[in-house]
Amino acid sequence: MFGHQVRCLSTKPLFAAAGKKVSQKPGYLKNNGPAPPKKGNSNAMTQNWKRVIATSKFNSNAESVSLPKLDLDNIKDEVVTYTDKQYNFLRRLGSFKMDQFHELFQRPIVLTTKRITERFLQELESSTTKRFIITGEPGVGKSTLLAQVHVHALKKGAIVLEFPYPELFTSGRNDFFYDGTKYIQPTYLKILLTKLRDANDRSILASLKLKNSYRFPVVSGRDGVVTHTAKLDAGTSTLLQLVSVNTESKSRGKLFAAVFTELVSQNYVPVYFTVDNFSRISSSPYTYYKNAINQYVHLLQFQVAKTIFNLVGGKVQAQHKDSCVIVANSGVDRVTRTLNVATEKDEEEVSYMLPQHYDPLIANYLQQGGITEFRVPKLNKTELGTLLQFYSKSKILRETYSSQKSMDQIVDEQYFISGNGNPRELLKSITLNPK
């Protein structure tokens, strides 16, 4: 009993310290850079609850509703679901997010519209720069539109390189090291390259012959012992072989650089470079990572982040004419002047601002690339009505509620409650309202 009590007393402070936010705010310190932005909600219980909802297979109890499959060649204003091929592709890419209420339906659904889906894909195809940033208020459907772009890439036989979890560039929670010129994040790179290999069609990756020769040490087992050297020769070895190399941690930066070089230098297959929650890094120039002299490291000193901004800024361009760069902002990130200045929406003097409010380096990258903003609008009443009719068939709408009012009355009421047509707020008002 006494030992149990001692154990409880000794572990409680550890758990408290693990979840406690850092209260010290270094501010704007000379030769130390500005303090990173305040982190968002990191409450463990909230995060675990979201994960439980997303992984508990509640969708198996959802009402079965027959829906057409997503066909981007024939876009209509309707609710559709994904084919098995599309669904597996999006799942491997990580296009489905935990807070999108997918557990309410047997298979993730999407509302396609000519006003949004078709217009964006038309602008993408006709664009000369093919660099877009998707913006809009929280919950309006930016990630959903990006997922439809991924399906569009699948239909075209393109390769998709999705940069997941950009918050890892700034959070300070990922392993990293300095190779003499830049900071490398080996674990993140392993996830990134594995996702590239597993999500895309392996026959396409295997069809691309390497333009350069490479040598990488190969490790095996949990101890990471180097067993031999992988020899990949130009003209004979393939991109699939290159991305499948299991090299040691200190060589992953070179492996990623090699894979990226091969992707942008070939002109046989289009490549879609995409980033969701891009505002997480565009609004946070300084990270929580520190260098050897205890200074906060700027975002552009990290290999992957610098690669993304080189793509967005047009400093690196893929050779295939249909390759593109598409990033989507997160509506929950703090608003800074960096993006507004870069997209020429804000001409107010910003030279006096601190870097956490305006970063000229990042703004310059975005301006040079001529990135085009595509703002996702809210749903109009007709589109909202299409969703509500589907929700009624799915038995998400309460029967007492739908029986007491006509569909027109429900649309008018929910349009107001959802903030004039915000899809996420609509679902929240329907599913989280206890009345």
Side-chain angles (χ1 to χ4, degrees):
M1 176 65 71
F2 179 75
H4 176 69
Q5 292 176 342
V6 171
R7 184 164 58 252
C8 290
L9 290 173
S10 62
T11 56
K12 184 176 181 180
L14 295 178
F15 284 114
K20 186 178 180 180
K21 293 183 179 180
V22 179
S23 59
Q24 183 180 3
K25 298 180 180 180
Y28 189 75
L29 304 178
K30 185 176 181 181
N31 298 325
N32 199 27
K38 187 176 180 180
K39 294 183 181 180
N41 181 12
S42 59
N43 185 282
M45 183 176 294
T46 301
Q47 298 301 322
N48 289 338
W49 176 248
K50 287 183 178 180
R51 190 172 294 108
V52 166
I53 292 296
T55 59
S56 296
K57 298 183 179 180
F58 291 129
N59 61 310
S60 61
N61 298 320
E63 186 74 13
S64 178
V65 180
S66 178
L67 288 174
K69 304 300 184 183
L70 176 59
D71 182 7
L72 295 178
D73 290 327
N74 185 25
I75 298 175
K76 300 177 182 178
D77 294 347
E78 61 181 355
V79 177
V80 300
T81 187
Y82 300 97
T83 66
D84 290 341
K85 183 178 181 179
Q86 293 168 349
Y87 173 75
N88 291 328
F89 179 64
L90 295 178
R91 181 177 55 81
R92 293 189 183 105
L93 277 181
S95 303
F96 301 126
K97 303 300 185 293
M98 288 193 296
D99 57 349
Q100 291 180 317
F101 294 88
H102 292 307
E103 64 277 1
L104 295 174
F105 317 105
Q106 288 195 346
R107 178 72 67 89
I109 60 99
V110 60
L111 173 66
T112 58
T113 64
K114 291 181 175 294
R115 193 170 64 98
I116 302 174
T117 308
E118 187 174 69
R119 183 165 64 89
F120 178 72
L121 294 180
Q122 288 175 348
E123 290 187 19
L124 175 62
E125 291 298 316
S126 61
S127 172
T128 55
T129 61
K130 295 194 181 299
R131 284 186 288 275
F132 284 85
I133 181 168
I134 302 173
T135 63
E137 69 176 40
V140 80
K142 300 179 294 297
S143 297
T144 300
L145 181 58
L146 189 62
Q148 294 175 63
V149 172
H150 290 156
V151 174
H152 178 67
L154 177 66
K155 179 177 70 71
K156 295 192 65 170
I159 295 173
V160 178
L161 177 55
E162 161 73 8
F163 293 90
Y165 317 116
E167 60 271 16
L168 292 180
F169 303 152
T170 62
S171 66
R173 299 173 181 174
N174 210 12
D175 59 327
F176 72 110
F177 68 89
Y178 189 65
D179 71 348
T181 60
K182 57 189 173 298
Y183 288 91
I184 311 296
Q185 296 168 298
T187 300
Y188 180 88
L189 290 177
K190 184 175 183 179
I191 295 173
L192 180 66
L193 294 175
T194 302
K195 188 181 293 289
L196 172 66
R197 181 195 64 196
D198 294 344
N200 291 281
D201 190 333
R202 295 200 175 195
S203 63
I204 295 177
L205 297 176
S207 68
L208 298 177
K209 303 296 183 181
L210 300 182
K211 292 182 175 295
N212 304 287
S213 297
Y214 304 98
R215 300 291 184 270
F216 289 102
V218 176
V219 299
S220 63
R222 295 183 178 181
D223 296 332
V225 179
V226 176
T227 58
H228 62 281
T229 299
K231 298 180 180 180
L232 305 172
D233 298 320
T236 56
S237 299
T238 67
L239 181 60
L240 178 60
Q241 292 175 306
L242 179 62
V243 78
S244 300
V245 172
N246 184 27
T247 191
E248 57 186 347
S249 294
K250 65 180 182 180
S251 298
R252 286 197 193 121
K254 295 180 180 178
L255 177 60
F256 170 72
V259 171
F260 181 75
T261 298
E262 294 295 330
L263 283 174
V264 298
S265 61
Q266 56 83 29
N267 57 2
Y268 300 104
V269 179
V271 183
Y272 281 52
F273 301 95
T274 64
V275 186
D276 202 359
N277 296 340
F278 177 70
S279 53
R280 192 65 53 86
I281 55 177
S282 63
S283 62
S284 305
Y286 280 87
T287 72
Y288 276 91
Y289 295 94
K290 287 190 175 183
N291 59 20
I293 55 176
N294 204 35
Q295 294 176 339
Y296 289 109
V297 182
H298 193 279
L299 185 72
L300 293 178
Q301 292 183 264
F302 284 87
Q303 180 191 27
V304 180
K306 183 69 174 292
T307 300
I308 292 174
F309 280 101
N310 281 339
L311 285 167
V312 174
K315 292 190 175 183
V316 175
Q317 297 188 19
Q319 293 300 308
H320 196 283
K321 63 181 181 62
D322 291 331
S323 293
C324 58
V325 181
I326 304 171
V327 300
N329 273 358
S330 171
V332 299
D333 290 323
R334 65 188 180 92
V335 178
T336 66
R337 294 290 181 85
T338 302
L339 181 59
N340 286 345
V341 172
T343 54
E344 300 179 349
K345 291 197 303 183
D346 194 341
E347 297 180 356
E348 184 180 343
E349 178 62 36
V350 291
S351 59
Y352 65 89
M353 291 186 177
L354 297 178
Q356 57 262 42
H357 300 299
Y358 170 73
D359 188 273
L361 289 176
I362 294 178
N364 184 53
Y365 268 86
L366 299 177
Q367 283 176 324
Q368 288 183 353
I371 191 167
T372 302
E373 181 182 8
F374 183 89
R375 187 166 184 82
V376 179
K378 297 179 182 179
L379 302 179
N380 58 37
K381 284 190 176 182
T382 302
E383 295 161 348
L384 192 82
T386 302
L387 267 180
L388 284 170
Q389 288 179 0
F390 167 71
Y391 293 158
S392 179
K393 294 179 181 178
S394 300
K395 297 186 178 181
I396 294 176
L397 283 177
R398 298 184 308 279
E399 292 184 6
T400 54
Y401 176 65
S402 58
S403 63
Q404 293 173 356
K405 299 179 181 180
S406 67
M407 183 55 68
D408 289 340
Q409 290 176 318
I410 295 175
V411 169
D412 289 338
E413 182 178 305
Q414 292 298 328
Y415 184 76
F416 174 77
I417 294 176
S418 65
N420 296 342
N422 185 298
R424 183 185 297 169
E425 295 305 317
L426 173 66
L427 268 176
K428 284 183 178 180
S429 69
I430 293 174
T431 58
L432 304 182
N433 188 352
K435 296 182 180 180

